Amino acid sequence: MEQVHILLHCARLSINEFFDAYDSAETVGITVFIVLSLIWLKNFLFQEESLAARINRVVFKVAKILPAVSLKIECEKKKATNDFQTNMLRLHEGRPYVTHLPKTGWSRERILEEVKSNLKLGHYKWKEGYVSGCVYNLNDELVKILTEVYGLASYTNPLHPDIFPGACKMEAEVVRMTLNLFHGSEEACGTMTSGGTESILMACKSYRDYAVEEKGIKHPEIVIPVTAHPAFDKAASYFGLRIKHVPVDPDTTTVDLKAMRRYISRNTCMIAGSAPNFPYGTIDPIEDIAALGRKYNIPVHVDSCLGGFITAFMDKAGVSHPPYDFSIPGVTSISADTHKYGFAPKGSSVIMYSEKKFLHHQYCVFPDWPGGVYGSPTVNGSRAGGIIAACWATLMYFGVEGYADATKKILQTTKYIEEGLRKMEEIFIFGKPGTSVIAIGSNVFHIYLLSEGLTKKGWNLNPLQFPCGIHLCVTYMHTADGVADKFLSDVREEIEIIMKNPKADVAGKTDHHTGLCEKQAESSLDKQHEPSSLMAMYGMAQSIPDRSVVGDFTRYFLDAMYITKGANEEVYRNGFK
Ligand SMILES: *Cc1c(COP(=O)(O)O)cnc(C)c1O
Ligand SMILES: *[C@@H]1O[C@H](CO)[C@@H](O)[C@H](O)[C@H]1NC(C)=O
């Protein structure tokens, strides 16, 4: 105590001595300067992006100004753009693009002919089960029914409940049926959306507004596992939320709960888990996440977009599992996609809440608009009654038995493939597949080699990164006779080929590093079908330390989707035969 006093006294003396040389105004000035500098220093040191990451970014930024580097980058960007475009043009097989409205409307025959030939493009045999995920079921009878249903409802819009009460009724029924599948109480509620992303966006928006308006949180944050879907990042970017990505346990690939607890703060407005996640198909410990939510009084979202219509029928399919739904206290919302394992056509999903108080923050209401009192439940104003009716029809078509049967077949096929793969010692499976996704890695060779090999055999799998992997999302398409066996034998065959030279590099990676930009830029339409291009891009992307370049490349990839240039454009413009 004594010593502290003496210290304080000394400090005071020296400060007084220092300021003796200045008059009062100067003293105030210096003090303000020091305080502001300290605040700046604090803000500089403690930011969301770590100091190391920022230094890294600045270094790359400066490096990119160097003529040699910037030239190289420009060259690579041109090459990437060119490659993406060439690839897209190749996929379109030189078919002409419509770039202007036809002068006079087309006939029915003309339209159908054109749509049919557009839909013929593409070489993957998705109907034969060669593609991971993507199309979850295909059934000629159902397609016929849906076509008719869509036709009947195509002009309806639940934005006008007085004019189209039937569309509204069907939406309400889809929501209630889904709520009942997920053990929602009477209090539980929800809406349909246009897809999983919109469902997740809606949950994040609801919780942001709930936190701001009900709890007085000024800067809401969401805490999600790093394996959660990018729709959460999209929500953070759209809605100005801070987002914290919690690491996963490398063995189980499910969220590290201790880390999740650490990431929770006073500003957390939502925590989430996936049942299952997209990359590995593993299921986060939802009960434990819900317990965290209860403990800290934070809403908990379960993303069951991918596997909701599997997990909900697992009991009936005879597969025991822990609960992932509203039967767990603390789970406040669930997203489940009817357009994935619900087998409905694309454009539908359901977002569900345990209580109205959350849903009310999803709604947008504008009581003062000159156009009338406006209220809308989701992102869209006008909504497609036809899609709602088609989704409703799909649910009614399958019924509990239909879904339980599909679930059983899909899970059996998944198990069969998983067991077959586990017998191959050159590869491993990430974690324990929770439903229908199997992620494969290898410690012996670069796993993208397997992917490239399988692509040559007509398979289309999803690439994973950090760490490298590939996954197969098993759908009803894979349950057909012989598909699983064909997959396993193709994998075995490819591994044998790879093991002759297991240290080989992924095609794209080696190509890329030759750096012969000009030569590659010559790639032209008639270049051989090159199945490895996507894998090559991934191989390359992982080796680029500056992620902003990868971001730019992704933009060029998206640009290429909207390409409408080509040799025969004129044919359309001048109106043809
Ligand atoms: C597909 C998916 C989503 C997003 O759904 P979209 O319908 O593509 O918008 C969200 N979460 C998971 C786990 C998914 O697999
Ligand atoms: C919402 O709008 C998007 C695009 O604007 C559309 O694709 C989607 O079908 C719409 N959703 C519904 C339910 O109408």
Side-chain angles (χ1 to χ4, degrees):
M1 212 54 211
E2 191 74 355
Q3 277 159 333
V4 175
H5 265 287
I6 294 172
L7 257 174
L8 278 177
H9 188 68
C10 288
R12 197 170 150 178
L13 280 184
S14 41
I15 290 172
N16 282 340
E17 198 178 331
F18 175 79
F19 280 109
D20 258 356
Y22 303 96
D23 65 26
S24 304
E26 282 171 330
T27 307
V28 170
I30 291 170
T31 311
V32 168
F33 176 77
I34 291 175
V35 169
L36 289 180
S37 304
L38 285 176
I39 292 175
W40 178 86
L41 189 70
K42 177 184 161 268
N43 286 342
F44 177 76
L45 289 178
F46 303 100
Q47 284 180 19
E48 212 161 322
E49 199 182 359
S50 73
L51 191 59
R54 274 177 289 150
I55 291 175
N56 218 345
R57 194 158 46 80
V58 172
V59 168
F60 280 122
K61 215 168 166 180
V62 172
K64 276 190 251 175
I65 300 172
L66 299 175
V69 180
S70 74
L71 218 74
K72 170 95 177 136
I73 290 181
E74 270 318 301
C75 177
E76 291 294 330
K77 283 182 178 173
K78 272 213 196 82
K79 168 172 135 26
T81 307
N82 196 59
D83 280 0
F84 290 142
Q85 292 192 353
T86 310
N87 207 35
M88 198 52 80
L89 289 171
R90 191 165 55 214
L91 287 173
H92 293 170
E93 293 171 12
R95 284 189 54 73
Y97 294 98
V98 183
T99 54
H100 293 74
L101 276 179
K103 202 148 146 231
T104 45
W106 285 6
S107 68
R108 170 198 142 90
E109 289 71 31
R110 182 84 243 243
I111 292 172
L112 286 179
E113 185 193 319
E114 192 66 19
V115 169
K116 279 182 194 156
S117 34
N118 277 332
L119 294 182
K120 260 194 218 130
L121 297 174
H123 290 295
Y124 283 109
K125 292 188 274 180
W126 54 271
K127 286 184 187 165
E128 282 86 57
Y130 276 84
V131 172
S132 164
C134 205
V135 181
Y136 292 78
N137 198 342
L138 190 72
N139 169 321
D140 290 337
E141 186 186 32
L142 178 62
V143 170
K144 280 213 188 75
I145 299 173
L146 293 184
T147 313
E148 205 177 327
V149 167
Y150 185 88
L152 291 171
S154 55
Y155 282 92
T156 64
N157 178 357
L159 181 66
H160 307 292
D162 45 348
I163 302 171
F164 304 113
C168 283
K169 176 170 176 284
M170 282 187 276
E171 177 180 6
E173 289 173 355
V174 168
V175 172
R176 185 52 58 189
M177 284 187 278
T178 314
L179 279 166
N180 284 331
L181 288 176
F182 288 84
H183 299 108
S185 68
E186 278 292 302
E187 261 285 281
C189 52
T191 69
M192 281 184 74
T193 66
S194 60
T197 298
E198 192 185 341
S199 290
I200 291 171
L201 287 176
M202 289 297 87
C204 294
K205 189 251 181 226
S206 303
Y207 293 138
R208 180 198 65 177
D209 291 358
Y210 180 74
V212 170
E213 286 160 29
E214 314 286 334
K215 292 164 111 185
I217 294 175
K218 286 215 181 64
H219 303 288
E221 296 174 359
I222 57 180
V223 175
I224 59 160
V226 63
T227 46
H229 195 272
F232 291 99
D233 301 83
K234 215 177 202 177
S237 132
Y238 284 180
F239 304 143
L241 293 161
R242 270 178 70 165
I243 185 162
K244 290 183 175 170
H245 298 97
V246 187
V248 294
D249 178 305
D251 293 325
T252 62
T253 73
T254 59
V255 73
D256 176 345
L257 275 171
K258 285 207 187 98
M260 183 167 242
R261 181 197 304 255
R262 274 202 312 278
Y263 280 44
I264 291 174
S265 77
R266 251 175 309 148
N267 292 324
T268 309
C269 70
M270 170 188 107
I271 54 179
S274 314
N277 61 51
F278 175 83
Y280 307 110
T282 49
I283 298 183
D284 289 314
I286 303 298
E287 285 172 292
D288 299 325
I289 296 175
L292 281 181
R294 288 200 306 274
K295 180 165 174 204
Y296 298 104
N297 191 23
I298 299 170
V300 175
H301 180 78
V302 177
D303 177 15
S304 274
C305 282
L306 179 60
F309 277 77
I310 295 258
T311 56
F313 295 100
M314 263 154 85
D315 287 333
K316 299 209 173 57
V319 180
S320 64
H321 64 95
Y324 312 119
D325 59 16
F326 289 121
S327 56
I328 308 170
V331 169
T332 53
S333 59
I334 301 175
S335 49
D337 284 1
T338 37
H339 73 191
K340 283 187 177 161
Y341 288 98
F343 306 141
K346 291 291 179 229
S348 68
S349 168
V350 181
I351 173 71
M352 299 169 269
Y353 299 92
S354 59
E355 290 176 71
K356 279 251 166 46
K357 67 176 183 187
F358 300 121
L359 176 62
H360 282 176
H361 289 282
Q362 174 180 313
Y363 296 158
C364 275
V365 294
F366 303 99
D368 302 332
W369 184 42
V373 176
Y374 188 93
S376 153
T378 58
V379 173
N380 291 40
S382 290
R383 294 188 299 142
I387 299 282
I388 291 170
C391 176
W392 182 91
T394 310
L395 296 181
M396 304 314 279
Y397 176 82
F398 282 100
V400 173
E401 279 172 17
Y403 284 117
D405 178 59
T407 297
K408 195 169 179 173
K409 285 191 183 134
I410 290 167
L411 292 180
Q412 274 169 356
T413 306
T414 310
K415 192 109 225 115
Y416 182 78
I417 294 178
E418 183 190 340
E419 278 164 8
L421 291 173
R422 283 196 194 274
K423 287 192 197 120
M424 306 178 196
E425 43 194 51
E426 297 87 352
I427 53 176
F428 64 84
I429 308 288
F430 287 94
K432 181 172 158 281
T435 55
S436 56
V437 175
I438 311 170
I440 313 167
S442 173
N443 294 319
V444 185
F445 56 84
H446 197 306
I447 194 68
Y448 291 173
L449 287 174
L450 177 58
S451 178
E452 280 176 1
L454 289 172
T455 308
K456 286 194 195 108
K457 285 188 152 63
W459 296 93
N460 182 304
L461 305 189
N462 302 76
L464 311 174
Q465 53 176 355
F466 312 124
C468 288
I470 50 177
H471 91 202
L472 173 71
C473 176
V474 178
T475 68
Y476 198 77
M477 317 296 276
H478 299 104
T479 64
D481 268 353
V483 178
D485 282 319
K486 177 89 177 85
F487 178 71
L488 287 172
S489 71
D490 280 355
V491 171
R492 211 169 284 129
E493 226 176 278
E494 277 308 316
I495 291 181
E496 264 159 43
I497 297 174
I498 292 167
M499 288 312 287
K500 291 188 186 130
N501 180 16
K503 291 289 163 239
D505 218 342
V506 184
K509 259 170 102 179
T510 32
D511 268 356
H512 176 75
H513 288 302
T514 58
L516 285 179
C517 194
E518 297 74 20
K519 206 174 124 207
Q520 289 176 356
E522 282 165 12
S523 43
S524 67
L525 243 176
D526 46 29
K527 194 165 136 191
Q528 260 269 302
H529 180 60
E530 193 187 66
S532 64
S533 63
L534 187 63
M535 284 302 148
M537 187 182 111
Y538 269 87
M540 182 196 76
Q542 283 216 17
S543 64
I544 300 179
D546 183 0
R547 303 309 290 170
S548 76
V549 173
V550 182
D552 284 341
F553 280 23
T554 314
R555 291 190 178 91
Y556 306 146
F557 178 82
L558 293 176
D559 281 345
M561 284 175 36
Y562 294 92
I563 193 167
T564 50
K565 70 176 188 205
N568 302 329
E569 183 180 313
E570 288 304 308
V571 180
Y572 278 84
R573 179 155 337 157
N574 301 334
F576 28 167
K577 23 172 193 151

